Amino acid sequence: MWKYTVEVNGMMCGMCEAHINDAVRKACPVKKVHSSRAKCQTVVLSEAELDPETIAAAIRSTGYEVGAIQKEPYQKRGFFGL
């Protein structure tokens, strides 16, 4: 599984977060997506590797600015972090 952390500027409310999440879900086969206006970021989890530019384009299409995108392997931790 892969984790993408995207810097996003311009989110002001929960509807902004939902708008970005919906756009990313429509553009990419994601397992989970979560946006945070407080952290100015969107985190995307996917079983397959994604094209970071596809994620960025989906977010830009909603009118928000996209900054750096970090990609890293993601492994879900079990109970008690094991």
Side-chain angles (χ1 to χ4, degrees):
M1 190 169 303
W2 295 93
K3 177 181 176 182
Y4 297 83
T5 304
V6 185
E7 290 179 12
V8 181
N9 294 308
M11 288 186 280
M12 303 298 276
C13 65
M15 288 304 295
C16 295
E17 295 167 343
H19 197 194
I20 290 172
N21 293 345
D22 289 343
V24 171
R25 282 187 195 102
K26 288 179 184 176
C28 304
V30 302
K31 184 95 171 159
K32 185 175 181 179
V33 59
H34 176 77
S35 295
S36 169
R37 65 184 176 271
K39 294 182 180 179
C40 297
Q41 70 179 17
T42 297
V43 176
V44 179
L45 298 178
S46 178
E47 298 271 345
E49 288 188 65
L50 303 175
D51 177 17
E53 186 51 41
T54 301
I55 298 170
I59 294 170
R60 281 190 203 107
S61 75
T62 62
Y64 299 95
E65 292 181 26
V66 177
I69 300 176
Q70 295 178 347
K71 172 186 163 187
E72 60 186 298
Y74 177 80
Q75 186 172 15
K76 185 176 180 179
R77 295 179 184 220
F79 195 63
F80 294 118
L82 302 174

